Each structure stands twice: as C-alpha cells, then as structure tokens.
Amino acid sequence: MTVPTQPFDVLLVEDDIADAMLIEEALSERGARNLIRVTDGVAALEYLRGPDSTRPDLIVLDLNMPRMNGRDLLKILKSDTELQVIPVVVLTTSTAPDDVNGAYSSHANAYVAKPVNLEEFEQAVQSIDAFYLDTATRPPA
C-alpha cells in the first residue's frame, strides 16, 4: 500500500460516532489526512460554503442523517457549479436498490455499502481512499 506524499482533505458527513471513528482510524492508517467531520447535510453545506473552509479532495457521505439527509445533500452538491467537481462516495448501511439507483441518479461518484465485519469495513474505507486520493486524477484546484 502506498502512502501519499501530501495530506488530503476529506469531508466526512456521518452522524454515527462509532462509524465516524472507524472511518477516521482507517484513513489515518493510510497516511496524512485532514479529516473534517460534520453530522448532517446542513452542517456540510455550512462548512463547504464557509469563506475560510478548505475545499475537500473527497466527500464521504452517509445517507441517513438528521436535519438534511445524504440524498438531499448529494442533489445540492452535484447541482452546485462550485462543488460538483468534488468526488462524493456514498458510504451507508443501505443496500436498497432505490437508494443505490437514487445515489447514482444524483451523480454520486461511487456507492459503497458499509460492511458489518470490522476488518472488511476498514478495508472498504481504505479502498475508497486509495482509489480517489492515489489513483484517480482530480481536477486542478
């Protein structure tokens, strides 16, 4: 596994504290990450549109959250010309076909169901990280 030479900014939109801690731990094992965590879509938009906020290299998004869920946030992100280029990976417990189809219809870059097994969960997060931050070519800032 390669370790990136520069820190990457990841915005985690996740209301479950335990899942957030697991994601943060899995990302930190891969190298320097500036992880910003918010607990719902409203807070994510406040962060992304804040004048002093750093544009994330990747957004990891849960679907089921209070105030504004991930479905609504994804639609807003992908219709905003300033934010639509940020890759968004949906990482959620749902495997419902409507959720998967809805996420891709709203232009999610990927949809990953959270594995129940701890080791598989960590591997899934690290695979997302490796692909989007090491392998994929991103648009210039």
Side-chain angles (χ1 to χ4, degrees):
M1 181 179 336
T2 62
V3 175
T5 56
Q6 68 183 69
F8 292 106
D9 296 305
V10 177
L11 176 62
L12 174 60
V13 188
E14 170 65 68
D15 65 322
D16 184 282
I17 294 170
D19 283 353
M21 288 174 43
L22 289 173
I23 292 166
E24 185 172 7
E25 183 178 315
L27 290 177
S28 69
E29 288 181 16
R30 289 212 5 98
R33 296 288 177 269
N34 299 320
L35 183 71
I36 303 297
R37 178 180 166 249
V38 296
T39 57
D40 61 56
V42 173
L45 287 175
E46 288 171 355
Y47 174 79
L48 290 165
R49 293 180 172 155
D52 299 325
S53 297
T54 301
R55 174 70 45 95
D57 297 295
L58 176 67
I59 297 173
V60 178
L61 176 64
D62 187 23
L63 289 183
N64 302 309
M65 298 175 293
R67 290 202 305 170
M68 180 190 292
N69 65 42
R71 293 167 195 81
D72 294 337
L73 176 61
L74 181 60
K75 289 175 186 171
I76 292 168
L77 292 174
K78 293 305 181 175
S79 65
D80 184 311
T81 56
E82 293 293 314
L83 302 174
Q84 65 188 197
V85 296
I86 303 169
V88 178
V89 176
V90 174
L91 179 63
T92 190
T93 55
S94 175
T95 57
D98 285 349
D99 284 337
V100 176
N101 290 334
Y104 283 117
S105 293
S106 295
H107 306 288
N109 296 88
Y111 190 102
V112 179
K114 291 178 183 173
V116 179
N117 174 291
L118 182 61
E119 187 175 313
E120 290 173 2
F121 185 96
E122 185 175 283
Q123 185 177 17
V125 171
Q126 290 177 352
S127 295
I128 292 166
D129 181 74
F131 178 75
Y132 281 98
L133 302 181
D134 294 345
T135 305
T137 302
R138 293 179 310 237

Coordinates of all heavy atoms in Angstrom, one line a residue, residues 47 102 107 114 139:
Y47 N -20.1 24.2 6.1 CA -18.6 24.1 6.0 C -18.2 24.4 4.6 O -17.2 25.2 4.4 CB -18.2 22.7 6.4 CG -16.7 22.5 6.2 CD1 -15.8 23.0 7.1 CD2 -16.2 21.8 5.0 CE1 -14.4 22.9 6.8 CE2 -14.9 21.7 4.8 CZ -14.0 22.3 5.7 OH -12.6 22.1 5.4
G102 N -30.9 5.9 -6.7 CA -31.1 7.3 -6.4 C -29.7 8.0 -6.2 O -29.6 9.1 -6.7
H107 N -25.8 11.6 -9.3 CA -24.4 11.7 -9.7 C -23.4 11.5 -8.6 O -22.3 12.1 -8.6 CB -24.1 13.1 -10.3 CG -25.1 13.4 -11.4 ND1 -25.0 12.7 -12.7 CD2 -26.2 14.2 -11.5 CE1 -26.0 13.1 -13.4 NE2 -26.7 14.0 -12.8
K114 N -21.8 -0.2 3.8 CA -20.9 -0.4 4.9 C -20.9 -1.9 5.3 O -21.9 -2.5 5.7 CB -21.4 0.3 6.2 CG -21.2 1.8 6.1 CD -21.8 2.5 7.3 CE -21.7 4.0 7.2 NZ -22.4 4.7 8.3
P139 N -9.5 17.1 -10.7 CA -9.4 18.4 -11.4 C -8.5 19.3 -10.6 O -8.4 19.2 -9.4 CB -10.8 18.8 -11.5 CG -11.5 18.1 -10.4 CD -10.8 16.8 -10.2

